[in-house]
């Protein structure tokens, strides 16, 4: 099957995935967003403003760093890290929120809402809202407010209201539900800044377009600095925005293998995981048709991951499509494998990665061993690990007690 | 029984129809059946049985609470169909209100056939629009099931036409921009939405979201063909010390609302 970039179609479908499953109350806003986005996409002034923010505020382009000492553990393959951790606010999320914040202003809206798991997207949204003078409310599962307390403080420092969600599993999925509920009631003056390539059309398309700069840069950097295209691209997948961001520019390059690694949690076989594409089935969640974790009666199964950012039972519909077409390969990484990779990158390269990104690093070790020493692999280092220090320190038993 | 029969009967009596909502399995499967029967006895013409779902993104805290209790109490699809069967046996038109994924997962045709054989009239689908509803529309037409889609205050004329064109039974007008839950006053935009909807269809238009008292029912009955009440029933049951109290209070509320729809404002 030929893969091109002609998805989604006019109805927002990536093959059988995507679409728009949403309350009627939101349809007018989704239509408005789609219309305005398609105009903005072709508006040089909008694109110039977006590019200016990426360059002069977010700090793009991000580096492509060779990780030679880490690569020794990955079958000797050459490993290049796309350093989204060096962006302002510390992750790839800033690319998307700057675009959506500009869209909010363009539509004449004055308030943004967002959901967040690990807090990266919440911090990025609070940041963009502060920069552009928008009111900001962030929904976060109560479980996540505890494991990501520092990011809660960060968001509040930036002027955002953070609302802990106490329903359901009290994680990202429930924060998404609560953000939708807010949006249904506030859609006149509020834009919902969805944090990944999910949701009803046009979100998966629009968010992809705002994050695809990651892959566009990586592709140019490979050609300019390293003399050719890489053999493989590796990224972690929760909702999947960093992965789509780095994959997208490479989709037409059929020689470049694309690998997405989702969270196997305590092991796919234990049932405590977030391996949506590895162990899920096709259904409808949060406005889209996609792979999700569900039982035989269509009830969502709660996900689990040591990484709050990957702890989500669905995935963006374009990933489901890339899986079905075979253009990308998806596999799962356990909490333990991810944490080993986390520690390894710290000690071989002096970079503390986000636990999300550590899933990609663990995946790169496997891919490197498979492809061998002649291969060049680009890993999307989607975020920095400062926010995860509490989890990591507890995991490795490094937290000093009683001042020792 | 199609809900249009219930709406026709109400129209013949020069009143609005009263539609009551209750999720299956709340407060228990048997308890829910008792409550729904009491709602019918109190004067509900149509009962919507909700299918409890893990991610009810259109619902406010009261229904979320009830649905959560139903799910943690172990409510399954078989319980939904059993509830529909028991409620339909009272003679009240009985619809299922459900988010789309459980139907999609079970199989649209299989779900529809089991609903039909339980005596269900059709489906209300809060997160399914006509654009994504092709399979359901086809199956519903082949089985003569009611297809109730929602119109909202924000719906354009074009969308209202598209939606009413595919509805069967009645059209569900959402009275406010927001989630389910009783409110202190009916939204001032609600009569306009009903009027805009009626300009596109001869189907009855029921108004839901935010209605909870006899006075509000009377006010809504002044401009809509049906008055839909959910959270207020659930609140009665949540607040009742025993199931027997809840059944009695639900019936009392239904009587109050039934008097309301007969005293059109």
């Amino acid at each position: 099957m030929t893969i091109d970039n002609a998805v989604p179609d006019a109805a927002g479908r990536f093959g059988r995935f995507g679409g728009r499953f949403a309350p009627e109350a939101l349809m007018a806003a989704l239509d408005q967003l789609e219309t305005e986005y398609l105009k903005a996409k072709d508006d040089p002034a909008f694109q110039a403003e977006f590019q200016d923010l990426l360059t002069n505020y977010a700090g793009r382009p991000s580096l492509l760093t060779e990780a030679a000492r880490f690569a020794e553990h990955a079958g000797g393959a050459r490993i290049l890290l796309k350093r989204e951790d060096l962006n302002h606010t510390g992750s790839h999320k800033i690319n998307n929120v700057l675009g959506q914040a500009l869209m909010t202003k363009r539509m004449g809206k004055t308030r943004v809402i967002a959901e967040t798991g690990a807090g990266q997207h919440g911090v990025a949204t609070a940041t963009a809202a502060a920069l552009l003078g928008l009111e900001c409310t962030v929904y976060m599962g109560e479980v996540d407010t505890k494991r990501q307390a520092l990011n809660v403080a960060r968001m509040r420092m930036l002027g955002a209201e953070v609302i802990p969600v106490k329903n359901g599993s009290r994680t990202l999925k429930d924060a998404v539900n609560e953000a939708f509920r807010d949006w249904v009631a506030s859609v006149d003056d509020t834009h919902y800044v969805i944090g990944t390539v999910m949701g009803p059309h046009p979100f998966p398309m629009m968010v992809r377009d705002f994050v695809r700069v990651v892959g566009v840069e990586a592709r140019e950097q490979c050609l300019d600095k390293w003399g050719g295209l890489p053999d493989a691209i590796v990224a972690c997948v929760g909702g999947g925005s960093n992965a789509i961001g780095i994959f997208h520019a490479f989709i037409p390059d059929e020689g470049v293998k694309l690998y997405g690694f989702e969270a196997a949690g305590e092991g796919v076989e234990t049932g405590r995981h977030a391996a949506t594409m590895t162990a899920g089935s096709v259904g409808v969640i949060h406005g889209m048709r996609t792979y999700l974790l569900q039982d035989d009666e269509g009830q969502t199964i709660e996900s689990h991951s040591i990484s709050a950012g990957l702890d989500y039972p669905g995935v963006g519909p374009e990933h489901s499509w890339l899986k079905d077409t075979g253009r990308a390969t998806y596999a799962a990484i356990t909490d333990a494998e991810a944490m080993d990779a986390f520690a390894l990158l710290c000690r071989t390269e002096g970079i503390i990665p986000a636990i999300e990104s550590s899933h990609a690093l663990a995946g790169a070790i496997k891919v490197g061993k498979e492809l061998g020493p002649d291969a060049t692999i680009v890993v999307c280092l989607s975020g920095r690990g400062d926010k995860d220090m509490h989890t990591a320190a507890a995991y490795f038993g490094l937290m000093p007690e009683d001042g020792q | 029984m199609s809900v249009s029969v219930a709406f026709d009967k109400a129209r013949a009596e020069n009143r609005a129809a009263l539609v009551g909502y209750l999720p299956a399995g709340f407060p228990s499967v048997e308890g829910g059946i008792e409550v729904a029967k009491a709602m019918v006895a109190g004067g509900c013409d149509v009962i919507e049985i909700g299918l409890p779902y893990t991610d009810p993104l259109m619902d406010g805290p009261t229904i979320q609470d009830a649905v959560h209790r139903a799910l943690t109490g172990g409510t399954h699809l078989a319980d939904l169909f059993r509830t529909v069967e028991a409620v339909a046996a009272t003679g009240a038109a009985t619809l299922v209100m459900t988010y789309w994924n459980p139907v999609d997962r079970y199989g649209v045709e299989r779900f529809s056939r089991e609903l039909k054989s339980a005596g269900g009239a059709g489906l209300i689908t809060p997160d399914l629009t006509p654009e994504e509803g092709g399979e359901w529309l086809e199956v519903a037409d082949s089985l003569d099931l009611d297809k109730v889609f929602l119109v909202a205050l924000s719906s354009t004329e074009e969308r209202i036409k598209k939606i009413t064109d595919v509805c069967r039974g009645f059209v569900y007008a959402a009275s406010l921009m927001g989630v389910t839950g009783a409110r202190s006053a009916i939204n001032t935009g609600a009569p306009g939405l009903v009027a805009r909807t009626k300009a596109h269809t001869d189907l009855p238009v029921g108004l839901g979201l935010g209605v909870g008292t006899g006075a509000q029912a009377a006010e809504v009955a002044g401009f809509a063909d049906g008055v839909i009440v959910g959270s207020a029933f659930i609140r009665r049951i949540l607040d009742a010390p025993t199931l027997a109290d809840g059944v009695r209070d639900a019936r009392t509320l239904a009587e109050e609302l039934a008097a309301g729809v007969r005293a059109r404002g």
Side-chain angles (χ1 to χ4, degrees):
Chain A
M1 168 169 189
T2 309
I3 302 292
D4 57 31
N5 291 341
V7 290
D9 66 13
R13 297 199 183 99
F14 302 83
R16 62 180 169 147
F17 302 104
R20 190 182 276 178
F21 295 83
E24 176 59 24
L26 295 179
M27 295 306 278
L30 292 169
D31 280 340
Q32 180 199 18
L33 181 61
E34 182 184 5
T35 303
E36 284 301 321
Y37 174 65
L38 292 174
K39 277 192 231 162
K41 195 175 173 181
D42 294 330
D43 178 353
F46 178 88
Q47 292 301 333
E49 194 175 3
F50 179 49
Q51 284 305 325
D52 180 65
L53 285 175
L54 290 181
T55 306
N56 296 309
Y57 188 73
R60 303 211 69 89
S62 67
L63 299 177
L64 189 64
T65 302
E66 177 147 26
R69 278 172 32 79
F70 180 84
E72 289 170 14
H73 301 265
R78 180 173 224 179
I79 291 195
L80 307 172
L81 304 176
K82 183 59 178 160
R83 300 289 305 280
E84 293 301 293
D85 60 314
L86 296 179
N87 295 339
H88 181 47
T89 71
S91 80
H92 69 289
K93 298 286 188 186
I94 193 73
N95 306 306
N96 170 39
V97 300
L98 289 172
Q100 290 204 51
L102 289 179
M103 285 303 303
T104 307
K105 298 277 272 192
R106 188 180 172 97
M107 292 186 292
K109 295 186 173 185
T110 56
R111 175 176 177 256
V112 288
I113 53 175
E115 86 298 316
T116 197
Q120 290 184 144
H121 175 60
V123 167
T125 305
T127 298
L131 178 70
L132 295 179
L134 299 163
E135 265 185 81
C136 180
T137 301
V138 179
Y139 291 95
M140 190 167 185
E142 193 186 31
V143 169
D144 295 336
T145 60
K146 288 181 181 148
R147 54 181 165 177
Q148 300 291 347
L150 196 56
N151 268 342
V152 173
R154 247 182 217 135
M155 288 182 265
R156 288 178 174 153
M157 189 64 73
L158 291 161
E161 179 188 15
V162 180
I163 301 181
V165 176
K166 297 176 182 180
N167 304 316
S169 55
R170 295 175 291 136
T171 58
L172 181 54
K173 160 181 94 78
D174 307 286
V176 174
N177 289 336
E178 212 53 41
F180 269 113
R181 290 184 187 111
D182 181 319
W183 203 31
V184 171
S186 64
V187 67
D188 282 348
D189 67 355
T190 299
H191 174 65
Y192 177 12
V193 181
I194 289 185
T196 186
V197 284
M198 55 150 264
H201 180 62
F203 281 102
M205 170 182 78
M206 181 179 70
V207 175
R208 174 196 74 194
D209 292 353
F210 288 142
V211 291
R212 79 185 290 283
V213 61
V214 179
V216 170
E217 281 177 12
R219 194 173 183 284
E220 282 171 9
Q221 288 166 326
C222 283
L223 290 172
D224 290 353
K225 293 187 182 170
W226 309 96
L229 291 175
D231 298 291
I233 305 289
V234 176
C236 66
V237 180
S241 64
N242 89 87
I244 284 291
I246 196 161
F247 285 176
H248 198 254
F250 291 96
I251 286 175
D253 300 317
E254 290 185 18
V256 180
K257 295 185 170 74
L258 308 176
Y259 294 93
F261 288 95
E262 42 187 20
E266 293 173 9
V268 173
E269 71 291 346
T270 66
R272 284 180 55 75
H273 61 83
T276 309
M277 285 183 287
T278 305
S281 54
V282 178
V284 174
I285 188 170
H286 294 148
M288 60 186 164
R289 184 181 296 284
T290 193
Y291 281 98
L292 71 137
L293 301 179
Q294 59 179 334
D295 67 17
D296 289 343
E297 297 190 356
Q299 305 289 355
T300 309
I301 295 171
E302 287 179 11
S303 55
H304 167 80
S305 169
I306 192 170
S307 163
L310 302 182
D311 200 350
Y312 180 64
V315 65
E318 191 162 8
H319 284 295
S320 294
W321 185 75
L322 290 173
K323 172 188 159 72
D324 272 18
T325 57
R327 179 63 188 92
T329 303
Y330 296 89
I333 293 292
T334 63
D335 289 350
E337 289 172 318
M339 294 313 289
D340 285 350
F342 179 102
L344 186 63
L345 193 76
C346 291
R347 289 167 192 192
T348 56
E349 301 292 341
I351 297 171
I352 300 177
I355 298 178
E356 290 93 328
S357 315
S358 302
H359 288 71
L361 292 164
I365 292 170
K366 292 186 177 180
V367 170
K369 288 176 180 168
E370 187 184 314
L371 298 184
D374 295 334
T376 301
I377 300 168
V378 175
V379 182
C380 188
L381 197 71
S382 57
R384 66 184 184 214
D386 306 35
K387 69 182 172 59
D388 292 322
M389 280 319 298
H390 187 82
T391 304
Y395 183 88
F396 292 112
L398 302 177
M399 200 64 97
E401 286 172 22
D402 301 326
Q404 297 301 303
Chain B
M1 181 175 79
S2 164
V3 294
S4 60
V5 176
F7 275 91
D8 287 348
K9 177 171 164 255
R11 189 174 283 176
E13 294 173 9
N14 190 31
R15 64 175 175 91
L18 178 60
V19 183
Y21 164 91
L22 192 74
F26 172 76
S28 61
V29 178
E30 295 310 323
I33 290 171
E34 264 191 74
V35 172
K37 284 180 175 174
M39 288 161 66
V40 175
C44 285
D45 303 288
V46 178
I47 298 287
E48 296 174 12
I49 300 296
L51 172 50
Y53 177 52
T54 41
D55 296 275
L57 58 81
M58 268 294 283
D59 286 305
T62 307
I63 292 182
Q64 280 181 50
D65 187 2
V67 162
H68 180 70
R69 288 169 192 235
L71 285 172
T72 52
T75 304
H76 287 280
L77 269 177
D79 302 309
L80 171 87
F81 293 128
R82 188 152 66 86
T83 303
V84 168
E85 192 161 18
V87 177
T90 65
T94 308
L95 291 153
V96 165
M97 178 146 186
T98 180
Y99 291 92
W100 191 242
N101 194 51
V103 182
D104 192 81
R105 174 68 169 158
Y106 197 66
V108 179
E109 176 143 13
R110 181 178 170 210
F111 190 102
S112 302
R113 287 194 183 284
E114 293 189 23
L115 175 68
K116 178 94 181 173
S117 72
L123 292 180
I124 303 173
T125 49
D127 65 345
L128 186 72
T129 57
E131 288 90 339
E132 299 287 358
E135 188 182 3
W136 160 234
L137 295 174
E138 217 168 278
V139 171
D141 287 343
S142 72
L143 295 175
D144 282 332
L145 287 169
D146 289 330
K147 306 162 285 182
V148 181
F149 291 86
L150 279 70
V151 293
L153 292 168
S154 56
S155 300
T156 58
E157 296 306 310
E158 191 188 359
R159 287 202 60 81
I160 291 177
K161 179 169 183 348
K162 187 183 275 185
I163 292 162
T164 54
D165 278 353
V166 299
C167 283
R168 181 181 189 270
F170 76 102
V171 183
Y172 191 128
S175 72
L176 50 84
M177 296 294 282
V179 295
T180 57
R183 306 290 203 280
S184 56
I186 300 300
N187 188 299
T188 51
L193 173 61
V194 173
R196 288 204 291 139
T197 306
K198 282 179 162 296
H200 292 282
T201 182
D202 293 330
L203 284 171
V205 179
L207 191 92
L209 301 195
V211 188
T213 67
Q216 289 175 335
E219 182 187 344
V220 172
F223 59 86
D225 305 301
V227 178
I228 306 168
V229 179
S231 299
F233 280 112
I234 289 163
R235 175 50 52 203
R236 293 294 195 284
I237 298 155
L238 287 169
D239 289 348
T242 67
L243 175 63
D245 292 319
V247 169
R248 185 199 62 216
D249 293 349
R251 178 171 175 143
T252 305
L253 176 63
E255 286 167 352
E256 179 193 331
L257 296 165
V261 300
R262 284 167 175 80
R264 293 184 149 178

